[in-house]
Amino acid sequence: ITYGRYVIVGFFTDEVGPQRWDDYFGVSTPQLSFQAMFNHAAAMRNGDDRKPGGALACFAGGAHADALFDLPDEEIMSRFAKDLLAVFPELEGKLGEGIVRRHRRVVPFWAPGRRNSLPPLRDPLGTIHFAGDYQLDLPSLADAATSGERAAKAVLA
């Protein structure tokens, strides 16, 4: 199983009142230093009841992440902040210090012809039941949790 890399920068924000990104859980940014921005609080936003501040996470994966891995945190934060401000200029002066995380093994993916390894990983090996985010065609944390729960129930049975 091959795992992809990510460089993530999270920014706490300092804004008051509704913002135009409040309804967006994710924004695709393929031409920038990061490929996607996630606003995990979007599911909690409730129009007029919006509390001040927020948090935005910018993700660079694959080759983009590889190019960033050895750069100093300050350089990565600077690039991501500049590009985030290009998308949402109203964040000027409202971005807190970025928090940089480098992850070498995050999301599994399969090279052409390698998906044929999946069926054996889905089947139990005697009393051993496998679980993980690689179990389904589009891996996610939800898939990892579901496969773990399925494996646990099978072991208990």
Side-chain angles (χ1 to χ4, degrees):
I1 299 167
T2 304
Y3 283 82
R5 289 93 37 227
Y6 272 106
V7 172
I8 304 163
V9 178
F11 294 99
F12 288 107
T13 61
D14 182 27
E15 74 275 354
V16 178
Q19 303 296 315
R20 76 181 161 110
W21 57 85
D22 284 351
D23 295 330
Y24 304 143
F25 179 76
V27 176
S28 178
T29 58
Q31 302 301 316
L32 302 180
S33 55
F34 53 91
Q35 292 114 339
M37 183 278 302
F38 291 97
N39 174 17
H40 295 97
M44 306 285 296
R45 297 294 188 211
N46 191 356
D48 296 335
D49 296 337
R50 187 195 194 281
K51 294 181 176 137
L56 303 173
C58 302
F59 286 67
H64 279 77
D66 292 343
L68 297 166
F69 256 83
D70 294 327
L71 295 177
D73 286 0
E74 296 75 22
E75 176 65 22
I76 296 169
M77 283 187 282
S78 174
R79 290 180 186 194
F80 281 35
K82 177 180 172 256
D83 284 346
L84 186 56
L85 290 172
V87 177
F88 296 113
E90 57 268 53
L91 278 168
E92 183 72 46
K94 297 174 183 167
L95 280 182
E97 184 75 14
I99 300 167
V100 177
R101 294 292 182 261
R102 294 168 179 82
H103 299 281
R104 293 195 186 278
R105 292 174 43 89
V106 180
V107 178
F109 66 93
W110 295 267
R114 296 294 308 266
R115 269 185 209 262
N116 56 358
S117 67
L118 284 176
L121 293 172
R122 291 178 179 146
D123 294 333
L125 183 61
T127 58
I128 298 170
H129 294 263
F130 297 104
D133 52 3
Y134 53 81
Q135 294 266 321
L136 299 174
D137 291 328
L138 296 173
S140 69
L141 290 175
D143 292 343
T146 300
S147 74
E149 183 178 21
R150 189 179 322 123
K153 287 178 179 177
V155 168
L156 287 174

